Amino acid sequence: MSFWFLLNAALLIWAIWNVTAGLSIHTEYIHILLGFTGFLFFIFNWTRNAVFSTIRNVESRDTKVKLAGMSKKIRPYHRWTGRAALFIILLHGIFIINLYSFDLTNMKILTGFLASVNLLILVLSGWYRLLIDSSLKIRKLHIRLGISMFIFVGLHFIF
């Protein structure tokens, strides 16, 4: 099992914890549910990184073949779940701005804004890679944006 599987699982558990805590104290909670749904789409896509990491590190050929086959089946949906995550997160942001205003001195709003900008660039880089340039440079950019997205989401949960 990849180190990323453990990190993804920890972030998912942390997200569930934050959502249940948020639902218990807020009277309006559509923004929480939208944020969590967008997060689920992101973490679904980001788990592919854990699958690829496991493929690179596992010694059993059967396991590699099984994981590669699973990843190949999910690949056509990868770009659409990324777009869905972006759309849902933008709706989450609209609800947040309506409730709390756009105040970048608030760390929760700042980290959410940075995560949403990062997600936009992540989605655009994925489509750019698919349609225009599938070079190693763009692939590495896409992966690094995924890692930074993971970090921004973690920071968003902290604040």
Side-chain angles (χ1 to χ4, degrees):
M1 184 182 317
S2 166
F3 173 69
W4 281 107
F5 274 121
L6 298 175
L7 286 178
N8 290 354
L11 193 64
L12 179 61
I13 291 167
W14 194 8
I16 292 169
W17 182 270
N18 279 347
V19 167
T20 55
L23 291 176
S24 66
I25 61 173
H26 287 88
T27 56
E28 291 187 39
Y29 51 83
I30 187 71
H31 63 284
I32 296 171
L33 296 177
L34 283 170
F36 184 64
T37 304
F39 167 76
L40 289 177
F41 277 105
F42 161 71
I43 204 70
F44 173 79
N45 269 359
W46 183 239
T47 301
R48 287 189 72 218
N49 180 56
V51 171
F52 290 134
S53 179
T54 303
I55 290 171
R56 284 189 299 271
N57 295 327
V58 75
E59 292 185 22
S60 168
R61 186 180 184 321
D62 291 338
T63 304
K64 287 183 180 195
V65 169
K66 185 169 42 168
L67 289 173
M70 180 182 68
S71 182
K72 187 177 179 182
K73 288 178 186 174
I74 293 171
R75 192 181 70 161
Y77 306 107
H78 180 76
R79 58 184 165 259
W80 301 106
T81 55
R83 281 179 61 187
L86 178 62
F87 178 72
I88 293 168
I89 291 301
L90 290 177
L91 283 176
H92 167 72
I94 289 168
F95 275 91
I96 291 297
I97 290 169
N98 285 335
L99 283 172
Y100 301 108
S101 78
F102 188 69
D103 178 19
L104 290 179
T105 60
N106 180 331
M107 288 303 290
K108 186 82 163 174
I109 291 176
L110 177 63
T111 57
F113 176 72
L114 292 174
S116 63
V117 169
N118 187 83
L119 182 59
L120 174 65
I121 298 168
L122 179 65
V123 169
L124 290 175
S125 73
W127 280 98
Y128 180 80
R129 187 171 167 231
L130 175 73
L131 300 173
I132 298 170
D133 181 13
S134 62
S135 68
L136 180 63
K137 181 178 163 182
I138 300 299
R139 184 176 137 238
K140 286 184 177 182
L141 171 69
H142 192 68
I143 291 170
R144 288 183 180 129
L145 285 166
I147 292 169
S148 62
M149 184 68 191
F150 186 89
I151 292 166
F152 279 131
V153 168
L155 288 172
H156 190 63
F157 289 160
I158 289 172
F159 297 109

